[in-house]
Amino acid sequence: MKRRYAIADVFTDTPFLGNPVAVVLDTEGMSTEQMQRIAVEFGYSETTFVLPPDKAENTARVRIFTPSREIPFAGHPNVGTAYVLAQYAVLAGDVVPDTLRFEEIAGLVPIAILKDDGKVTGAELLVPEALSCRSEVSPAKVAACLSLGVEEISTKTHNPLVASVGLPFLVVELASREALRQCVPNLQGFRDILPLDGAVSVYAWVAETDPDAQCDLHARMFTPRMTEDPATGSATAAVTALLATLQNKTTLALHIHQGVDMGRASSLYTHYDATSGEPLVRVGGKSVITMEGTFSL
């Protein structure tokens, strides 16, 4: 049976920048093992599989796989999958709803479709969970993870800690933009502290100090496969919620650059809003379809 797929570069409108995601559209009869093998074959940080929803009022059930495991939620795969489905709906002559609703392990994920002059340009998701902060890790151990000196780990805003809004990450603030450039994941350093409270990856960030710069934060994210992720929506959303909470802000909007140091520049926009009493965090950006095809299964 021929199975259709599309590859979208997420958090960019330029092909071959941003973070690629493979979106498998024909998933009837696929087993979990087959999905995992397909994710390994694509080799991206995540591959998504679009299934019929369990509830008719929702758009789809979406399963998300890394090359090593299924995960309950992620940022860029959701943004990319929503963008692909919206673009395919346009091609079919269907009306594109303002919001898609994905059923996932972490819960229901609403995703707003972004448009410019009526043209679909990207998507913005609402994270499925409130911020949770878990274990802290010593600066020395995090420095070893990133091949840095301990003086390059900042505790000015927060200690290195596990944070999550649906998928946990070990989050660390660095002392300078140069320290962020110099990061190299160290396998033994990872093994010494991860996994921890569900986190297996390290998200490092630093504030932009130039008032004329086009972003608020710079970030990099490293996985236990010793690879780098060009754009990580779920971690970015968690950091936005963390900073808003630490700064006692009811609203916070951030523009984050990620992937720059690996040659896949990504642009993420986040919004934190607790004015209603219940904190809501959104993360979104542009996307572009770069490849389409089929495979036999």
Side-chain angles (χ1 to χ4, degrees), residues 134-146 148-155 158-162 170-174 189-190 192-194 196 202:
R134 307 175 188 180
S135 297
E136 295 187 356
V137 177
S138 74
K141 288 186 175 181
V142 173
C145 274
L146 300 175
L148 296 175
V150 67
E151 71 278 2
E152 299 292 357
I153 307 301
S154 175
T155 57
H158 63 83
N159 293 328
L161 82 168
V162 175
L170 177 55
V171 175
V172 54
E173 180 186 10
L174 299 186
F190 268 66
D192 286 345
I193 59 175
L194 298 173
L196 176 65
V202 178

Side-chain angles (χ1 to χ4, degrees), residues 136-215:
E136 295 187 356
V137 177
S138 74
K141 288 186 175 181
V142 173
C145 274
L146 300 175
S147 306
L148 296 175
V150 67
E151 71 278 2
E152 299 292 357
I153 307 301
S154 175
T155 57
K156 179 180 178 181
T157 307
H158 63 83
N159 293 328
L161 82 168
V162 175
S164 175
V165 289
L167 186 66
F169 294 88
L170 177 55
V171 175
V172 54
E173 180 186 10
L174 299 186
S176 67
R177 179 69 181 90
E178 184 58 30
L180 190 68
R181 287 191 191 93
Q182 294 175 356
C183 287
V184 177
N186 178 279
L187 182 59
Q188 189 56 55
F190 268 66
R191 287 175 172 172
D192 286 345
I193 59 175
L194 298 173
L196 176 65
D197 293 340
V200 298
S201 302
V202 178
Y203 181 89
W205 69 273
V206 63
E208 173 56 71
T209 56
D210 182 354
D212 296 324
Q214 297 180 344
C215 72

Side-chain angles (χ1 to χ4, degrees), residues 42-140:
F42 277 116
Y44 295 129
S45 55
E46 284 95 8
T47 297
T48 66
F49 297 83
V50 181
L51 299 151
D54 291 332
K55 295 184 178 180
E57 64 267 25
N58 297 328
T59 307
R61 183 162 66 95
V62 177
R63 297 181 69 177
I64 306 171
F65 288 79
T66 75
S68 58
R69 64 184 178 128
E70 184 173 12
I71 56 177
F73 166 76
H76 103 274
N78 272 303
V79 170
T81 300
Y83 175 80
V84 167
L85 293 184
Q87 289 288 21
Y88 276 42
V90 170
L91 290 174
D94 298 333
V95 175
V96 179
D98 292 334
T99 301
L100 306 186
R101 295 160 59 89
F102 291 165
E103 300 167 355
E104 300 182 8
I105 294 173
L108 189 65
V109 181
I111 306 177
I113 300 300
L114 303 179
K115 299 178 181 179
D116 187 2
D117 290 332
K119 180 182 178 181
V120 174
T121 58
E124 180 186 64
L125 66 87
L126 177 66
V127 302
E129 295 179 8
L131 173 69
S132 62
C133 294
R134 307 175 188 180
S135 297
E136 295 187 356
V137 177
S138 74

Side-chain angles (χ1 to χ4, degrees), residues 204-287:
W205 69 273
V206 63
E208 173 56 71
T209 56
D210 182 354
D212 296 324
Q214 297 180 344
C215 72
D216 301 298
L217 305 180
H218 298 273
R220 300 179 73 181
M221 198 282 276
F222 299 99
T223 76
R225 298 185 301 279
M226 299 297 100
T227 57
E228 182 171 356
D229 196 39
T232 317
S234 48
T236 303
V239 168
T240 301
L242 176 64
L243 295 180
T245 301
L246 293 173
Q247 296 167 10
N248 293 315
K249 291 186 175 181
T250 54
T251 62
L252 179 65
L254 296 176
H255 179 196
I256 297 92
H257 282 174
Q258 188 180 338
V260 174
D261 297 315
M262 62 178 295
R264 294 201 65 114
S266 305
S267 192
L268 301 87
Y269 294 87
T270 60
H271 303 273
Y272 174 93
D273 188 343
T275 54
S276 66
E278 179 183 355
L280 302 175
V281 188
R282 300 181 183 276
V283 58
K286 296 181 177 180
S287 295

